Amino acid sequence: ELEIVAESLSVELMRIQRVFDVRWAFSSFISVKAVLRDFGALYAHFSQCASPDGDRASKEKSKYIGLVKKLQSWSFVSETCMLKDALRCIKQLSLYLQSNAATIFDVMTHIDDIKQKFLALKQANGKSLDKFCASYECDQSYKGVCIEMKAGDSAQFDTLRCQFFQA
């Protein structure tokens, strides 16, 4: 069903292989990237599944209604973008640690670099979060989906971001 919706939106869905394999940071990054990349198709599919005209059971429709609301939430999208930005950094370190070229001296340099990136991300938007914020500021949407921001979402997110990247 999702593929049909994606095709109608001219979106090519990302395929997620093994999420919990040895390269968990890399596969987690790919999973979060897939959610953001296929965001419009996921929203359209969940909306279709939640439709009162559909043939799904009411309990199943309720789940899809909840997913639709979650995808429209400014907090959800901003936190997902923040997570993608963090995982991009961790993924690079993880892949380096798995390489044969990794040495204890170089590892410390890579760890220090990531610490500096995380401290910077406490204050400034990363690549994914910046794209989302620009899209939201333009027309209060993301990938064609109307995003709803509640009062206090921005302040709450700033606090969460600082705590997340500090940890």
Side-chain angles (χ1 to χ4, degrees):
E1 292 175 343
L2 179 57
E3 284 187 15
I4 292 168
V5 171
E7 193 174 300
S8 72
L9 296 172
S10 300
V11 172
E12 183 178 337
L13 297 174
M14 286 187 69
R15 299 282 180 226
I16 301 170
Q17 303 296 325
R18 289 178 255 150
V19 176
F20 297 109
D21 71 358
V22 179
R23 297 177 182 208
W24 66 267
F26 181 77
S27 56
S28 295
F29 172 76
I30 296 298
S31 299
V32 172
K33 179 180 176 181
V35 167
L36 291 172
R37 182 171 169 235
D38 301 338
F39 192 81
L42 288 169
Y43 177 81
H45 174 61
F46 294 160
S47 295
Q48 238 177 27
C49 292
S51 171
D53 302 334
D55 58 350
R56 297 186 186 277
S58 62
K59 186 176 180 180
E60 198 174 352
K61 284 181 186 178
S62 305
K63 289 180 185 179
Y64 283 111
I65 288 168
L67 289 169
V68 166
K69 287 181 182 176
K70 184 62 90 174
L71 287 177
Q72 289 181 297
S73 163
W74 185 90
S75 293
F76 172 78
V77 181
S78 61
E79 290 170 17
T80 305
C81 290
M82 177 189 73
L83 184 59
K84 181 182 175 192
D85 291 332
L87 283 169
R88 182 181 290 115
C89 297
I90 294 170
K91 171 195 81 155
Q92 291 169 342
L93 175 64
S94 176
L95 292 174
Y96 175 74
L97 291 173
Q98 295 174 51
S99 74
N100 290 333
T103 67
I104 192 70
F105 302 109
D106 291 339
V107 167
M108 293 310 295
T109 302
H110 280 78
I111 289 172
D112 288 339
D113 287 346
I114 289 205
K115 285 196 305 193
Q116 293 304 313
K117 286 179 184 176
F118 278 4
L119 289 175
L121 287 171
K122 280 176 62 174
Q123 306 295 324
N125 293 344
K127 183 178 174 182
S128 299
L129 185 56
D130 199 43
K131 283 182 183 178
F132 165 65
C133 289
S135 176
Y136 180 79
E137 287 175 18
C138 181
D139 60 1
Q140 284 73 48
S141 72
Y142 180 67
K143 306 250 176 156
V145 177
C146 182
I147 303 297
E148 298 173 7
M149 180 187 244
K150 295 178 184 169
D153 276 355
S154 184
Q156 188 176 13
F157 174 74
D158 288 341
T159 302
L160 174 78
R161 173 170 59 179
C162 285
Q163 292 172 345
F164 179 80
F165 285 112
Q166 185 64 44

